[in-house]
Amino acid sequence: RFLLSETQRRLFEKLVLYCDKSANLIPVSFVLGFYVALVLERWWGQFRAVPAPDGLMVAVAGSVHGADPRGRLLRRTLLRYCGLAALLVLRAVSTPVYKRFPTCDHLVQ
């Protein structure tokens, strides 16, 4: 404030008074409530986007019938693809998972 000229100082003081008057119009708790709601909504959206392979595994086990080797191989292949899809999503979201599986070769191993 001491580096400003006299006109700049008066303009700055007018700006401060205007902001102080405007701050009383909208309470901070009201704005903070919107912010918290937005953050929680984004977090919940990310949480819901992470796949839970359990439901799909139960559906595959219940709908792909056969005790023969072909049925078992088909169920196992579908569940491996489901596990791979879950791993790819978790790798994109979580840094520790990405460090554990940095390349496609690590996924294959």
Side-chain angles (χ1 to χ4, degrees):
R1 186 172 106 169
F2 296 111
L3 298 176
L4 299 176
S5 67
E6 187 63 35
T7 57
Q8 291 174 336
R9 193 176 303 147
R10 289 203 175 147
L11 182 64
F12 178 74
E13 288 174 0
K14 286 180 182 179
L15 178 67
V16 168
L17 291 174
Y18 174 76
C19 291
D20 185 47
K21 184 176 71 172
S22 298
N24 293 331
L25 296 177
I26 301 174
V28 175
S29 59
F30 184 71
V31 176
L32 186 62
F34 276 115
Y35 177 73
V36 170
L38 180 68
V39 168
L40 285 176
E41 183 179 341
R42 286 184 181 177
W43 177 83
W44 186 247
Q46 287 181 347
F47 180 77
R48 296 284 307 210
V50 174
D54 299 340
L56 182 62
M57 290 179 183
V58 170
V60 167
S63 59
V64 179
H65 301 289
D68 57 339
R70 183 178 178 277
R72 289 184 62 225
L73 182 64
L74 183 60
R75 281 192 300 273
R76 186 180 303 161
T77 303
L78 288 172
L79 296 180
R80 282 185 178 163
Y81 281 136
C82 177
L84 176 63
L87 181 61
L88 289 174
V89 169
L90 291 173
R91 191 177 83 150
V93 174
S94 173
T95 303
V97 176
Y98 184 78
K99 286 181 180 178
R100 173 65 178 90
F101 301 101
T103 64
C104 289
D105 293 331
H106 288 90
L107 294 173
V108 172
Q109 288 176 358

PDB file of all heavy atoms in Angstrom, residues 1 16 23 40 43 48 59 75 85 87 92 99:
ATOM      1  N   ARG A   1       0.820  -1.189   0.000  1.00  0.00           N
ATOM      2  CA  ARG A   1       0.000   0.000   0.000  1.00  0.00           C
ATOM      3  C   ARG A   1       0.867   1.256   0.000  1.00  0.00           C
ATOM      4  O   ARG A   1       0.477   2.277  -0.545  1.00  0.00           O
ATOM      5  CB  ARG A   1      -0.916  -0.029   1.219  1.00  0.00           C
ATOM      6  CG  ARG A   1      -1.904   1.068   1.273  1.00  0.00           C
ATOM      7  CD  ARG A   1      -2.858   0.842   2.384  1.00  0.00           C
ATOM      8  NE  ARG A   1      -2.540   1.758   3.468  1.00  0.00           N
ATOM      9  CZ  ARG A   1      -3.310   1.961   4.499  1.00  0.00           C
ATOM     10  NH1 ARG A   1      -4.406   1.273   4.640  1.00  0.00           N
ATOM     11  NH2 ARG A   1      -2.968   2.811   5.421  1.00  0.00           N
ATOM     12  N   VAL A  16     -11.556  -1.852  -1.622  1.00  0.00           N
ATOM     13  CA  VAL A  16     -11.670  -2.590  -0.367  1.00  0.00           C
ATOM     14  C   VAL A  16     -13.040  -2.373   0.263  1.00  0.00           C
ATOM     15  O   VAL A  16     -13.691  -3.322   0.722  1.00  0.00           O
ATOM     16  CB  VAL A  16     -10.532  -2.181   0.600  1.00  0.00           C
ATOM     17  CG1 VAL A  16     -10.799  -2.704   2.001  1.00  0.00           C
ATOM     18  CG2 VAL A  16      -9.206  -2.695   0.087  1.00  0.00           C
ATOM     19  N   ALA A  23     -19.341  -8.427   0.408  1.00  0.00           N
ATOM     20  CA  ALA A  23     -19.147  -9.683   1.135  1.00  0.00           C
ATOM     21  C   ALA A  23     -20.293  -9.943   2.102  1.00  0.00           C
ATOM     22  O   ALA A  23     -20.594 -11.103   2.425  1.00  0.00           O
ATOM     23  CB  ALA A  23     -17.822  -9.663   1.880  1.00  0.00           C
ATOM     24  N   LEU A  40     -18.029 -33.106  -2.979  1.00  0.00           N
ATOM     25  CA  LEU A  40     -18.569 -34.429  -2.653  1.00  0.00           C
ATOM     26  C   LEU A  40     -19.225 -35.088  -3.868  1.00  0.00           C
ATOM     27  O   LEU A  40     -19.115 -36.303  -4.058  1.00  0.00           O
ATOM     28  CB  LEU A  40     -19.568 -34.327  -1.508  1.00  0.00           C
ATOM     29  CG  LEU A  40     -18.945 -34.129  -0.135  1.00  0.00           C
ATOM     30  CD1 LEU A  40     -20.019 -33.938   0.914  1.00  0.00           C
ATOM     31  CD2 LEU A  40     -18.059 -35.292   0.234  1.00  0.00           C
ATOM     32  N   TRP A  43     -16.437 -36.436  -6.012  1.00  0.00           N
ATOM     33  CA  TRP A  43     -15.829 -37.611  -5.390  1.00  0.00           C
ATOM     34  C   TRP A  43     -16.746 -38.817  -5.535  1.00  0.00           C
ATOM     35  O   TRP A  43     -16.291 -39.921  -5.842  1.00  0.00           O
ATOM     36  CB  TRP A  43     -15.548 -37.335  -3.913  1.00  0.00           C
ATOM     37  CG  TRP A  43     -14.985 -38.530  -3.218  1.00  0.00           C
ATOM     38  CD1 TRP A  43     -13.693 -38.932  -3.197  1.00  0.00           C
ATOM     39  CD2 TRP A  43     -15.725 -39.498  -2.463  1.00  0.00           C
ATOM     40  NE1 TRP A  43     -13.573 -40.084  -2.465  1.00  0.00           N
ATOM     41  CE2 TRP A  43     -14.804 -40.461  -2.005  1.00  0.00           C
ATOM     42  CE3 TRP A  43     -17.062 -39.646  -2.131  1.00  0.00           C
ATOM     43  CZ2 TRP A  43     -15.189 -41.544  -1.242  1.00  0.00           C
ATOM     44  CZ3 TRP A  43     -17.444 -40.734  -1.370  1.00  0.00           C
ATOM     45  CH2 TRP A  43     -16.504 -41.662  -0.931  1.00  0.00           C
ATOM     46  N   ARG A  48     -18.208 -44.003  -7.913  1.00  0.00           N
ATOM     47  CA  ARG A  48     -19.162 -44.832  -8.647  1.00  0.00           C
ATOM     48  C   ARG A  48     -18.598 -45.313  -9.982  1.00  0.00           C
ATOM     49  O   ARG A  48     -19.054 -46.312 -10.529  1.00  0.00           O
ATOM     50  CB  ARG A  48     -20.454 -44.062  -8.891  1.00  0.00           C
ATOM     51  CG  ARG A  48     -21.240 -43.671  -7.662  1.00  0.00           C
ATOM     52  CD  ARG A  48     -21.965 -44.820  -7.095  1.00  0.00           C
ATOM     53  NE  ARG A  48     -22.752 -45.438  -8.131  1.00  0.00           N
ATOM     54  CZ  ARG A  48     -23.888 -46.064  -7.951  1.00  0.00           C
ATOM     55  NH1 ARG A  48     -24.384 -46.137  -6.763  1.00  0.00           N
ATOM     56  NH2 ARG A  48     -24.521 -46.626  -8.937  1.00  0.00           N
ATOM     57  N   ALA A  59     -22.964 -62.625 -12.279  1.00  0.00           N
ATOM     58  CA  ALA A  59     -23.802 -62.725 -13.478  1.00  0.00           C
ATOM     59  C   ALA A  59     -23.198 -63.696 -14.491  1.00  0.00           C
ATOM     60  O   ALA A  59     -23.924 -64.494 -15.105  1.00  0.00           O
ATOM     61  CB  ALA A  59     -23.991 -61.349 -14.105  1.00  0.00           C
ATOM     62  N   ARG A  75     -15.927 -68.973 -18.919  1.00  0.00           N
ATOM     63  CA  ARG A  75     -16.127 -68.210 -17.679  1.00  0.00           C
ATOM     64  C   ARG A  75     -14.818 -67.599 -17.189  1.00  0.00           C
ATOM     65  O   ARG A  75     -14.761 -66.428 -16.810  1.00  0.00           O
ATOM     66  CB  ARG A  75     -16.721 -69.110 -16.592  1.00  0.00           C
ATOM     67  CG  ARG A  75     -18.202 -69.353 -16.725  1.00  0.00           C
ATOM     68  CD  ARG A  75     -18.770 -69.997 -15.484  1.00  0.00           C
ATOM     69  NE  ARG A  75     -18.170 -71.287 -15.189  1.00  0.00           N
ATOM     70  CZ  ARG A  75     -18.583 -72.454 -15.676  1.00  0.00           C
ATOM     71  NH1 ARG A  75     -19.625 -72.490 -16.482  1.00  0.00           N
ATOM     72  NH2 ARG A  75     -17.989 -73.575 -15.362  1.00  0.00           N
ATOM     73  N   ALA A  85     -10.065 -55.112 -16.914  1.00  0.00           N
ATOM     74  CA  ALA A  85     -10.737 -53.814 -17.042  1.00  0.00           C
ATOM     75  C   ALA A  85     -10.711 -53.064 -15.710  1.00  0.00           C
ATOM     76  O   ALA A  85     -10.460 -51.846 -15.679  1.00  0.00           O
ATOM     77  CB  ALA A  85     -12.175 -54.007 -17.519  1.00  0.00           C
ATOM     78  N   LEU A  87      -8.511 -53.406 -13.343  1.00  0.00           N
ATOM     79  CA  LEU A  87      -7.129 -53.010 -13.104  1.00  0.00           C
ATOM     80  C   LEU A  87      -6.746 -51.794 -13.938  1.00  0.00           C
ATOM     81  O   LEU A  87      -6.066 -50.883 -13.450  1.00  0.00           O
ATOM     82  CB  LEU A  87      -6.183 -54.167 -13.410  1.00  0.00           C
ATOM     83  CG  LEU A  87      -4.707 -53.913 -13.178  1.00  0.00           C
ATOM     84  CD1 LEU A  87      -4.443 -53.579 -11.724  1.00  0.00           C
ATOM     85  CD2 LEU A  87      -3.895 -55.093 -13.606  1.00  0.00           C
ATOM     86  N   ALA A  92      -5.472 -46.046 -13.800  1.00  0.00           N
ATOM     87  CA  ALA A  92      -5.635 -44.668 -14.253  1.00  0.00           C
ATOM     88  C   ALA A  92      -5.963 -43.729 -13.098  1.00  0.00           C
ATOM     89  O   ALA A  92      -5.709 -42.529 -13.185  1.00  0.00           O
ATOM     90  CB  ALA A  92      -6.735 -44.598 -15.313  1.00  0.00           C
ATOM     91  N   LYS A  99       2.214 -47.396 -10.271  1.00  0.00           N
ATOM     92  CA  LYS A  99       3.618 -47.737 -10.027  1.00  0.00           C
ATOM     93  C   LYS A  99       3.825 -49.253 -10.027  1.00  0.00           C
ATOM     94  O   LYS A  99       4.886 -49.742 -10.411  1.00  0.00           O
ATOM     95  CB  LYS A  99       4.079 -47.141  -8.700  1.00  0.00           C
ATOM     96  CG  LYS A  99       4.279 -45.649  -8.770  1.00  0.00           C
ATOM     97  CD  LYS A  99       4.751 -45.099  -7.438  1.00  0.00           C
ATOM     98  CE  LYS A  99       4.951 -43.600  -7.518  1.00  0.00           C
ATOM     99  NZ  LYS A  99       5.358 -43.025  -6.228  1.00  0.00           N
TER     100      LYS A  99
END
